[in-house]
Amino acid sequence: MGDYGEIFEEEMGRSTVFKDQSKLSPDYVPGKLLHRDEEFRGLTRYFRPVLESGASQRVLITGSVGVGKTALARRFGREFESAGKKRGVNMTYAHVNCRKQGTAPMVIRKIASNFPISVPRRGFSPQEILDHVIHFLQKKDSYLTVTLDELDHFVEQNGPDLLYSLTRPFEESGGPNRMSIIATSFSPNFFDSLDEATRSTFMHNRIDLNTYNAGQISDILNQRVKLAFKPDTVRGDSVDLISKIASRRGDARFALELLWYAGRVASEGKVEKVSPNQVRRAKSKIHPEVRREVLMDLGEHELIYLLALSRRLKISDEAYATGESVSNAYRVVCEESGENPLENAELRSFVQKMEGLGLIDVEPSGGREESRGRDLSISDAPLELMEDVIEKILQRRHGSGDRGGR
């Protein structure tokens, strides 16, 4: 039986590329939100009346997964509290994840936990707890801004009653409404699921977050690399490859997850840098996409060309290979297989087809659009796995006499 103390100390002493892994967590909000200045400015404009005249506000932030809805709301809330203090306004910001706090009582208790209010765990209804919050705000001349994160999921599961009660908590008291709401939603059509009375309280205040492009994701990754990794441990082409993969859906959260997992792969392998192939291995672990059924439909020479690309990338350990180097590698594999190589025009048609199938990525050589050359990459699978799958398909075809066409 192993000595667990020794195992623990051995792992704690293992060399790693990381400096602070927490900076890659979905819960971490950086001091600077890249490519979201205009949206932050929009939130500020909506909430300016709260600080100037005590008017409550309600704003919906929409966008797909990984576009920064939560980070934007949290960063704004932090600045909004600070801005209130500078102006002599007692402002509290509360953030509630409505997927985790999945019932009305849980949401209300989470809001109340931001105040020095004594609330028994049992015996109080959500409305009674909310009344305690309202009384506290009135007594202390304070204001509350609460983010209801993933509110669309909550409403889908529980209906809109909670939102209705939160948008009208001060009506019976007769005092000013001291609660403002930021809601986040995946769907821009979230308003349509609300009744007219509740929908009207938002006054069509909406901020839509667009998906990130590859360049924007690259900026975000480079920002986190400096915070999360030791110097010179993440290669630039690895960041570029992650950006390319994640830009297909504009998801920065997925990009950060890939970066973190690639760092883990590098650390477990006792290497000094995060390389493109470690990114591919991370991708295969998080979202495996060696689509054997697609490979099975490729012709003989298409498979040989893809095999040549896999080998070329594996040897170079680069993110991309030039089209010329892949063509040369293709001729070598043809010679090994006893096949006559096809002309360049046919090879270019292979590239176009496989790019359309999502098997390879194609970029202009040197990143210049005017370049006639093309650089090729495989991003969805480790090269060793891609190579192994293709070789087995070719072996089966040769064994059965099925050459699979061109």
Side-chain angles (χ1 to χ4, degrees):
M1 182 178 295
D3 185 325
Y4 293 118
E6 289 182 7
I7 293 174
F8 185 86
E9 293 304 327
E10 179 184 334
E11 287 302 314
M12 291 300 294
R14 182 191 293 272
S15 177
T16 176
V17 297
F18 290 112
K19 178 173 63 178
D20 185 355
Q21 295 187 49
S22 69
K23 298 301 190 293
L24 300 174
S25 166
D27 296 326
Y28 173 71
V29 179
K32 171 67 175 175
L33 294 181
L34 300 181
H35 305 293
R36 288 294 177 241
D37 284 2
E38 285 306 307
E39 291 82 359
F40 188 96
R41 189 178 299 277
L43 271 176
T44 303
R45 288 170 179 161
Y46 280 131
F47 279 84
R48 178 176 176 175
V50 179
L51 298 184
E52 289 184 335
S53 59
S56 66
Q57 289 295 310
R58 296 166 187 84
V59 177
L60 177 67
I61 301 175
T62 72
S64 56
V65 173
V67 298
K69 299 186 296 295
T70 299
L72 176 61
R74 285 189 179 277
R75 195 70 188 85
F76 176 78
R78 189 188 309 168
E79 291 296 328
F80 197 47
E81 272 192 345
S82 177
K85 290 179 181 178
K86 289 179 182 178
R87 291 162 175 78
V89 178
N90 295 322
M91 176 62 63
T92 297
Y93 174 75
H95 195 100
V96 182
N97 185 315
C98 293
R99 187 180 289 269
K100 293 180 180 178
Q101 312 297 328
T103 66
M106 292 175 72
V107 170
I108 299 299
R109 285 185 177 275
K110 181 66 175 178
I111 294 173
S113 69
N114 290 271
F115 302 96
I117 300 173
S118 178
V119 179
R121 293 187 60 83
R122 298 179 182 274
F124 272 45
S125 70
Q127 187 58 52
E128 288 174 319
I129 299 173
L130 187 57
D131 288 342
H132 275 68
V133 172
I134 293 170
H135 177 72
F136 178 87
L137 293 174
Q138 292 172 329
K139 181 180 178 180
K140 299 295 184 179
D141 190 22
S142 297
Y143 294 84
L144 166 66
T145 296
V146 57
T147 288
L148 301 174
D149 206 357
E150 299 193 61
L151 181 60
D152 52 341
H153 174 80
F154 182 92
V155 171
E156 182 180 334
Q157 300 296 318
N158 301 278
D161 290 350
L162 170 68
L163 184 58
Y164 181 85
S165 63
L166 287 177
T167 54
R168 290 169 173 77
F170 292 86
E171 287 183 353
E172 294 183 3
S173 69
N177 192 338
R178 296 174 179 271
M179 184 186 299
S180 295
I181 294 174
I182 299 172
T184 76
S185 166
F186 178 84
S187 170
N189 300 319
F190 172 62
F191 277 136
D192 298 341
S193 65
L194 305 177
D195 60 89
E196 181 60 35
T198 305
R199 187 163 61 240
S200 66
T201 65
F202 277 84
M203 298 176 290
H204 303 287
N205 294 340
R206 196 172 91 189
I207 292 177
D208 300 318
L209 300 187
N210 296 323
T211 55
Y212 294 108
N213 60 37
Q216 292 171 331
I217 291 176
S218 179
D219 291 341
I220 293 169
L221 290 174
N222 281 316
Q223 178 195 51
R224 300 296 183 93
V225 164
K226 293 177 182 177
L227 297 171
F229 289 85
K230 295 175 182 176
D232 301 319
T233 56
V234 180
R235 287 170 44 175
D237 53 356
S238 298
V239 171
D240 293 341
L241 185 59
I242 294 173
S243 302
K244 177 73 175 181
I245 295 170
S247 67
R248 295 171 186 169
R249 43 184 168 175
D251 186 345
R253 184 183 300 178
F254 175 54
L256 291 169
E257 183 183 11
L258 260 183
L259 178 61
W260 169 74
Y261 208 102
R264 271 191 53 188
V265 172
S267 294
E268 290 170 1
K270 299 181 180 179
V271 298
E272 297 179 352
K273 288 183 181 286
V274 177
S275 71
N277 205 35
Q278 286 153 353
V279 172
R280 297 182 185 102
R281 290 173 186 161
K283 173 68 167 58
S284 72
K285 294 291 185 181
I286 298 171
H287 292 284
E289 291 188 25
V290 181
R291 294 175 292 167
R292 288 173 172 79
E293 71 281 1
V294 176
L295 294 176
M296 291 289 290
D297 287 337
L298 294 180
E300 181 87 4
H301 281 267
E302 291 168 338
L303 285 170
I304 290 175
Y305 188 85
L306 192 57
L307 178 60
L309 173 58
S310 301
R311 290 180 177 176
R312 180 60 193 163
L313 290 169
K314 182 179 175 182
I315 291 171
S316 69
D317 194 27
E318 301 288 342
Y320 284 83
T322 65
E324 181 180 1
S325 68
V326 178
S327 296
N328 293 336
Y330 159 76
R331 295 184 183 94
V332 171
V333 179
C334 281
E335 185 175 347
E336 293 174 357
S337 306
E339 296 285 341
N340 293 320
L342 302 178
E343 298 296 327
N344 286 337
E346 292 181 276
L347 299 186
R348 286 193 291 271
S349 71
F350 291 172
V351 171
Q352 186 176 9
K353 175 180 177 180
M354 285 186 276
E355 182 185 21
L357 290 171
L359 292 171
I360 66 174
D361 299 316
V362 182
E363 291 286 336
S365 292
R368 298 187 303 273
E369 289 295 336
E370 67 274 12
S371 173
R372 297 188 63 183
R374 291 292 180 264
D375 294 338
L376 313 178
S377 183
I378 296 171
S379 60
D380 281 342
L383 300 174
E384 297 87 348
L385 180 57
M386 180 68 81
E387 186 178 359
D388 181 62
V389 171
I390 294 173
E391 287 177 345
K392 287 179 178 177
I393 293 174
L394 290 171
Q395 288 170 4
R396 282 198 296 270
R397 285 186 182 179
H398 293 170
S400 64
D402 176 15
R403 309 295 287 196
R406 302 196 88 174

